Amino acid sequence: MAQQISESELVLMKIIWKNGGAALYSLIMEELEKDKNEWKNNTVLTLLSRLGEKKFLKVKKIGRKNEYVAAVTEAEYQTMQTHSFLVIIRWYLLCK
């Protein structure tokens, strides 16, 4: 799972992690509104869909609602980012 996520996708992941690793769409939208984020519904749904495609999120159906469940913990994500950074630095140093 070496794919990167965008800053916007990371905003959504942080909301989900903050909520114990799972969140309903309505909770995500409430948290975005608290942070004065004015993303439209379609934007948020697109970002959540991309996170699912990248295997960072799983979608769990609860009746007619979707619960978004983190497939990667925040610690795992930070470890991946650190590893990616070290690979880039190593490559840079070897190319000097």
Side-chain angles (χ1 to χ4, degrees), residues 43-54:
T43 301
V44 175
L45 290 171
T46 298
L47 292 170
L48 290 168
S49 176
R50 287 182 188 164
L51 285 165
E53 290 167 8
K54 293 177 182 181

Side-chain angles (χ1 to χ4, degrees), residues 11-58:
V11 168
L12 298 181
M13 288 301 298
K14 285 182 177 182
I15 291 170
I16 293 165
W17 289 324
K18 179 180 159 191
N19 195 56
L24 294 172
Y25 175 78
S26 57
L27 178 110
I28 293 169
M29 292 305 290
E30 285 173 22
E31 290 296 318
L32 289 171
E33 288 172 17
K34 283 182 192 173
D35 292 339
K36 306 290 189 235
N37 189 310
E38 297 181 4
W39 289 341
K40 303 289 185 214
N41 291 348
N42 285 343
T43 301
V44 175
L45 290 171
T46 298
L47 292 170
L48 290 168
S49 176
R50 287 182 188 164
L51 285 165
E53 290 167 8
K54 293 177 182 181
K55 308 291 187 222
F56 280 84
L57 280 183
K58 295 178 184 176

